[in-house]
Amino acid sequence: MKKVKTRIINGINKPISIAPLVHFRVLFGLIMFISVARFVFNGWIATQYIEPEFHFSYYGFSWVSNPGETGMYLLFLTMALSALGIALGYYYKVSAVLFFLSFTYVELIDVTNYLNHYYFVSLVAFLMLWMPAHLAFSVDSKRKGFTISRIPYGYVLIIQLLLSMVYFYAGLAKLNPAWMMEALPLKIWLPMFSHLPLVGAWMSELWVAYAFSWFGALYDLSIPFFLFYSRTRPYAYLAVLVFHLSTWLLFPIGMFPFIMILATTIFFSPESHLKVAAFIRNLFRRKSTTTYRSSNEVYKAPYQNLIWSLFAGFLVLQLLLPLRAYAYPGNLFWTEQGYRFSWRVMLMEKAGYAIFHIRDNVTGREWENYASDYLSPMQEKQMATQPDLILQFAHFLKQKLADQGFEEVEIRAEVYVSLNGGKNQLLIDSKADLTRIEDGFAPKTWILPYKKPL
Amino acid sequence: MYCKHLFVSVLVVTGLMGLLLSCVEDSGEETQQETARKPVLENLASTVIIPGYENLHAQMTLLDQSVKNFTSDPNQANLEALRTDFISTYSQWEKVSFLEFGPAFSQTLRAEFNTFPTDNFSIDNAIESGEFSLTGFSTTNRRGLPAMDYLIYGLADTDEEIIAKYSIDENAGNRKEYLLAVSQLILNKVDLVYNQWLPSGGNYQEEFIQKDGTDVGSSFGEMVNALSQYLERFSRDARMGIPLGKRSQGVIIPRNVEAYYSQQSIPLLQAHISGMKDFYLGKQGNTDGKGFYELLQEIRAGEDEGLADRILAQFDLILGRLDQVPSPLSTTIQTNPAPAEAAHQELQKQVILIKTEFSSALGVLITYQDNDGD
């Protein structure tokens, strides 16, 4: 036991070249800058943060509020500049802190904008705060004349492990009857591409949907191991490229494929990284200057063990979070209790429609309310399939009605949801008065069980 | 060693991606596969949409002539002829009203044709003062078919009095001018939209058929989003839910029914739903080609939930319920709302089917935003 512990500690502290971490820093900073710029130029600040009059908050984070138009633009400016700061290694620590805070704050404003890759970015940004990633090939190192070129392997390992968990849990989530045995939802999605020339003809074929499903699951579950093992690594990286570029071509998943393609380069050995660096230097014919000094000094943080403990705690939390879903009863895809923060991507086709029935207890009058009067189409779509968001919206409606002078109302929601193209059925108890229900971590008893179609 | 591997890998991947990309972007005629969706687009354009606008254009031309006849010689016969043409035009409008994409969308045809309830007070004021500007989006509730509905049915209780408003009334001249202007404006609009679809005009038909994907800007993306929004806001709410008080804290608003003055609300809603049903089927008169119905049967691999037939059956259920709603709807809502409530229920069920299973099955996207795949 002690031997294992010593081996782990030695492994973590083993000095390696700083090159993989530095390259990761530059690539992460650049792709984040591009992502932020793309978001701004697509006009999504307006559609996602300025136009909607209501935002769905994360449980416990209702204090995160929308800072208004100017505030939003300032936040995105901070994000863009700090991403550049990270890439250039210019006031790196300050940039990393600012990027983590601004990015995470913006993500916390509205649950309906949740994307697994935004969550991944927040996690990586958090780790970057603690990284000595600016000690070489950076403005900071030029300025301050850093000479360190070696770091303990632990800093690279934690990113490799986080990436492995993303893949592995994504693969584990695919091991469900619908995905494996019925090729759902790919069976529904792929025929959409039947208009594409050449590949189009295959897209309606059932076997293609099965092949994609099984290959996807196999890929996710095995790729971490193949990336760790040096002899399979080049082929594994080839698979990474093929997999992510094809998902990018087929599905509207934004920057995620590129983030993963760049992030997984951290699996390559320090030697490979040094060779690539040398190759790029040669391209620019800068033979005289070296990016990585060949000193043997190894970086050591002032409280190195504290940082390792923090990383260990981070990993344990990451390992446990996706498992919380199993503590809830019922079909996870239906109830979505414990669905987020678990690397569950592209797993289901879900569409819903919610009718809110209002009853004024003072006059006995009854009427209806629809989310489209208050929410953006995207918010409405997300809300109509997720029970916790339906509850939040009902409470928002209650507040709205109280403002109009209806102090004593009952709000019931008749919500029909179709899962993976199946017959629509009621998602929650349409007799439950949502104004009397509070959200929490306890299982939501007002969610109706999913009836499997016969 | 690594560099070599990496180099080979990069080369292979670049090749593969290049191939895949060229497939995606290549839309040359020769390589284009005949797919399930394209024939549907072709049929909808040539059988339903263009003939629909053609009919509306023809009806509207007749109506405009009747307006001219009536205003030049206001008498009972001309009023009756005008009213007949008005109802035919309104019925034909119902059959294309929900096609809110392409030219109809860019010309805001729905707002131009059918913004109701009409603002009868502003119409009266404009006629009295003789100063009426009917351009701009803010005036849509003073023109279109609902304004005409008021002008030829709602000015007075008897036909003689209405005819008098156009002959001996002190503002008869202004009133004629107003009616003529209203008619002219919508005739121009339908003429524009119809010609933009025609191959000899704007040829939107070709663009419509070319955009055979399912993304936001594609014809299917636009049709499905338009259909589900229209069904929700205008079929269910505007024509039924709002008068029934569903959107006004339970207080009924009978005057907000469609075609309040001519009391044609129910026949028009029936024309509207059967038009939508024909569109769904890809059918026009005796010509029945490929529509959403056929597409749903083709694309749903494996477990068929019978969605195509369930949506069709729901259209019939709505029509069946509407048969049992006594006209005029504005009175029924006040005296005996149950049959109207029942029709509203069936409309609601269709909204649910379209918003959940129909959208899922066709896999259209609602925004350009990135997503996680739910």
Side-chain angles (χ1 to χ4, degrees):
Chain A
M1 194 60 209
K2 200 165 178 200
K3 234 178 159 179
V4 175
K5 200 180 161 193
T6 331
R7 275 189 68 182
I8 291 175
I9 290 176
N10 285 344
I12 291 167
N13 287 315
K14 187 184 90 183
I16 61 157
S17 164
I18 198 172
L21 183 63
V22 167
H23 294 166
F24 184 81
R25 184 205 84 215
V26 173
L27 294 176
F28 180 71
L30 284 179
I31 194 76
M32 282 306 111
F33 179 74
I34 294 170
S35 300
V36 172
R38 170 176 173 266
F39 196 95
V40 175
F41 286 116
N42 279 336
W44 289 342
I45 296 183
T47 56
Q48 296 187 31
Y49 294 105
I50 296 168
E51 284 159 17
E53 72 163 298
F54 173 68
H55 291 294
F56 291 89
S57 57
Y58 286 92
Y59 189 76
F61 287 93
S62 51
W63 52 271
V64 175
S65 64
N66 186 325
E69 187 161 357
T70 319
M72 278 319 298
Y73 279 99
L74 284 176
L75 272 172
F76 273 86
L77 186 69
T78 310
M79 246 188 266
L81 292 179
S82 54
L84 273 186
I86 290 173
L88 298 171
Y90 181 67
Y91 287 97
Y92 171 73
K93 290 275 170 171
V94 180
S95 296
V97 171
L98 284 178
F99 183 78
F100 168 69
L101 290 179
S102 54
F103 189 91
T104 309
Y105 189 88
V106 166
E107 292 322 312
L108 284 173
I109 292 174
D110 197 327
V111 187
T112 57
N113 294 328
Y114 173 82
L115 288 185
N116 280 288
H117 80 261
Y118 290 155
Y119 174 52
F120 174 74
V121 166
S122 270
L123 293 179
V124 172
F126 173 75
L127 291 177
M128 292 307 277
L129 304 180
W130 311 97
M131 298 279 179
H134 60 313
L135 297 184
F137 192 57
S138 69
V139 178
D140 288 348
S141 68
K142 270 245 164 72
R143 232 166 16 129
K144 296 182 181 163
F146 295 134
T147 54
I148 283 168
S149 63
R150 288 154 78 80
I151 53 161
Y153 175 50
Y155 286 112
V156 169
L157 179 66
I158 186 155
I159 300 174
Q160 292 174 337
L161 288 178
L162 176 63
L163 280 163
S164 304
M165 270 196 280
V166 172
Y167 279 123
F168 193 77
Y169 272 123
L172 215 56
K174 291 186 173 77
L175 299 182
N176 69 71
W179 182 278
M180 302 299 287
M181 309 314 288
E182 297 174 66
L184 283 167
L186 289 181
K187 190 166 71 181
I188 307 174
W189 289 343
L190 292 181
M192 285 180 232
F193 306 101
S194 56
H195 64 294
L196 299 181
L198 285 179
V199 289
W202 291 350
M203 290 300 174
S204 320
E205 297 278 344
L206 200 55
W207 68 266
V208 174
Y210 276 99
F212 272 49
S213 298
W214 282 67
F215 173 75
L218 204 68
Y219 166 86
D220 279 340
L221 288 170
S222 63
I223 201 75
F225 303 102
F226 289 134
L227 281 170
F228 264 113
Y229 185 43
S230 65
R231 296 193 63 175
T232 51
R233 195 175 299 137
Y235 307 105
Y237 195 68
L238 180 75
V240 168
L241 288 173
V242 171
F243 179 82
H244 286 299
L245 289 176
S246 33
T247 56
W248 168 65
L249 285 174
L250 293 182
F251 305 109
I253 48 178
M255 298 303 290
F256 181 66
F258 300 101
I259 292 172
M260 292 309 266
I261 284 170
L262 295 181
T264 42
T265 56
I266 199 157
F267 280 96
F268 284 102
S269 71
E271 294 72 37
S272 312
H273 274 277
L274 288 170
K275 275 184 190 159
V276 171
F279 177 73
I280 293 172
R281 257 200 321 280
N282 276 337
L283 282 183
F284 291 96
R285 303 185 191 288
R286 298 184 67 179
K287 283 169 191 151
S288 51
T289 55
T290 49
T291 312
Y292 301 105
R293 286 163 227 277
S294 46
S295 82
N296 276 323
E297 207 180 330
V298 180
Y299 170 81
K300 197 169 189 301
Y303 303 99
Q304 190 64 65
N305 283 335
L306 215 61
I307 290 185
W308 290 158
S309 314
L310 179 82
F311 283 6
F314 175 89
L315 286 176
V316 170
L317 188 71
Q318 283 307 312
L319 212 56
L320 294 178
L321 261 179
L323 301 176
R324 74 189 192 287
Y326 300 104
Y328 289 103
N331 181 326
L332 170 65
F333 292 164
W334 184 248
T335 69
E336 295 202 37
Q337 301 190 93
Y339 193 85
R340 297 179 201 115
F341 313 117
S342 309
W343 316 118
R344 296 195 168 88
V345 237
M346 312 296 293
L347 284 176
M348 56 182 180
E349 165 68 38
K350 213 176 175 189
Y353 188 68
I355 306 153
F356 290 88
H357 294 280
I358 318 288
R359 190 191 140 80
D360 180 13
N361 282 336
V362 179
T363 61
R365 280 209 204 104
E366 289 178 17
W367 66 94
E368 288 165 10
N369 249 315
Y370 297 96
S372 55
D373 292 350
Y374 306 96
L375 304 180
S376 72
M378 195 65 181
Q379 285 180 311
E380 189 194 353
K381 181 180 159 63
Q382 296 284 330
M383 184 275 294
T385 56
Q386 298 172 46
D388 57 339
L389 303 186
I390 294 167
L391 184 62
Q392 264 195 53
F393 184 74
H395 287 191
F396 161 75
L397 268 186
K398 185 191 173 190
Q399 188 54 51
K400 265 267 162 201
L401 290 163
D403 293 345
Q404 292 167 23
F406 298 98
E407 301 282 355
E408 284 176 59
V409 293
E410 290 170 13
I411 302 177
R412 291 176 179 78
E414 195 183 345
V415 186
Y416 295 90
V417 171
S418 158
L419 180 60
N420 281 336
K423 262 189 191 170
N424 69 70
Q425 46 182 293
L426 280 176
L427 176 66
I428 64 171
D429 182 0
S430 57
K431 292 185 199 74
D433 178 6
L434 297 178
T435 60
R436 293 170 186 277
I437 296 172
E438 289 301 322
D439 199 3
F441 290 117
K444 296 176 170 52
T445 50
W446 42 278
I447 301 178
L448 295 176
Y450 178 62
K451 293 191 292 281
K452 189 96 181 96
L454 294 170
Chain B
M1 189 59 185
Y2 265 164
C3 271
K4 210 169 157 191
H5 269 165
L6 198 66
F7 184 68
V8 173
S9 304
V10 168
L11 213 69
V12 171
V13 169
T14 321
L16 277 175
M17 293 326 298
L19 199 71
L20 204 54
L21 267 176
S22 65
C23 302
V24 171
E25 284 172 1
D26 182 6
S27 56
E29 296 287 319
E30 318 90 89
T31 49
Q32 190 80 47
Q33 291 272 342
E34 196 72 351
T35 63
R37 283 191 298 263
K38 223 183 184 77
V40 175
L41 293 176
E42 282 164 353
N43 179 58
L44 286 180
S46 64
T47 310
V48 187
I49 302 172
I50 295 177
Y53 285 131
E54 191 184 351
N55 282 345
L56 180 61
H57 187 259
Q59 288 290 352
M60 193 58 225
T61 312
L62 289 178
L63 175 60
D64 191 56
Q65 191 52 54
S66 299
V67 167
K68 284 176 182 144
N69 293 347
F70 174 70
T71 47
S72 61
D73 185 8
N75 61 43
Q76 185 68 31
N78 281 344
L79 180 62
E80 270 161 28
L82 170 57
R83 283 173 172 176
T84 310
D85 283 334
F86 172 76
I87 291 170
S88 312
T89 307
Y90 218 145
S91 295
Q92 186 53 38
W93 158 254
E94 296 289 341
K95 293 176 184 170
V96 296
S97 57
F98 48 87
L99 305 174
E100 291 208 277
F101 48 85
F105 180 76
S106 49
Q107 294 294 335
T108 60
L109 197 64
R110 178 189 50 74
E112 297 286 338
F113 251 85
N114 198 20
T115 299
F116 66 91
T118 198
D119 186 353
N120 55 316
F121 297 110
S122 295
I123 295 174
D124 286 342
N125 286 340
I127 289 170
E128 254 167 64
S129 66
E131 286 167 24
F132 47 89
S133 150
L134 290 176
T135 50
F137 206 73
S138 61
T139 65
T140 51
N141 64 352
R142 273 169 260 166
R143 49 199 164 98
L145 295 174
M148 209 184 273
D149 182 54
Y150 171 66
L151 289 168
I152 64 177
Y153 287 96
L155 290 176
D157 289 335
T158 65
D159 290 356
E160 292 86 64
E161 286 171 279
I162 292 173
I163 293 164
K165 292 272 186 188
Y166 289 91
S167 45
I168 50 174
D169 188 85
E170 55 174 333
N171 294 317
N174 287 347
R175 195 164 284 113
K176 286 179 189 175
E177 223 176 288
Y178 196 100
L179 182 60
L180 284 164
V182 165
S183 174
Q184 189 62 49
L185 278 169
I186 43 182
L187 177 60
N188 290 348
K189 276 288 172 185
V190 71
D191 189 58
L192 250 150
V193 170
Y194 174 51
N195 276 299
Q196 281 180 21
W197 272 91
L198 287 181
S200 53
N203 202 6
Y204 184 75
Q205 181 178 19
E206 190 185 328
E207 190 185 334
F208 178 76
I209 295 167
Q210 281 306 320
K211 298 189 297 183
D212 63 342
T214 55
D215 50 325
V216 181
S218 68
S219 293
F220 272 96
E222 291 187 339
M223 280 194 294
V224 172
N225 285 331
L227 199 68
S228 69
Q229 259 195 30
Y230 197 94
L231 196 61
E232 209 182 347
R233 291 191 192 161
F234 302 107
S235 314
R236 181 199 65 195
D237 283 355
R239 290 181 170 85
M240 232 1 147
I242 290 174
L244 277 170
K246 299 282 175 192
R247 312 302 312 275
S248 48
Q249 288 94 35
V251 182
I252 57 166
I253 320 176
R255 284 185 67 99
N256 277 23
V257 296
E258 187 180 33
Y260 171 76
Y261 300 99
S262 57
Q263 308 192 333
Q264 293 294 311
S265 321
I266 294 298
L268 288 177
L269 184 47
Q270 284 170 322
H272 171 63
I273 297 298
S274 13
M276 218 180 234
K277 179 182 152 190
D278 283 352
F279 176 67
Y280 172 74
L281 288 169
K283 185 181 153 192
Q284 158 95 357
N286 294 323
T287 325
D288 189 359
K290 283 195 170 191
F292 283 92
Y293 177 79
E294 284 78 8
L295 184 66
L296 282 178
Q297 287 187 320
E298 269 177 41
I299 58 169
R300 285 171 64 85
E303 290 75 17
D304 195 4
E305 310 282 355
L307 180 61
D309 284 314
R310 277 159 58 220
I311 293 176
L312 184 61
Q314 192 56 41
F315 277 125
D316 290 330
L317 277 171
I318 300 169
L319 290 170
R321 286 289 185 200
L322 287 175
D323 275 339
Q324 288 157 27
V325 184
S327 276
L329 180 61
S330 51
T331 314
T332 303
I333 283 168
Q334 299 172 69
T335 54
N336 170 30
E341 292 272 359
H344 182 263
Q345 275 286 317
E346 298 303 335
L347 280 163
Q348 183 74 281
K349 285 183 195 159
Q350 190 71 307
V351 171
I352 293 161
L353 271 178
I354 297 292
K355 283 249 167 182
T356 61
E357 293 172 49
F358 182 69
S359 304
S360 269
L362 292 172
V364 298
L365 297 169
I366 55 164
T367 65
Y368 287 104
Q369 254 164 267
D370 301 339
N371 73 59
D372 247 357
D374 291 307

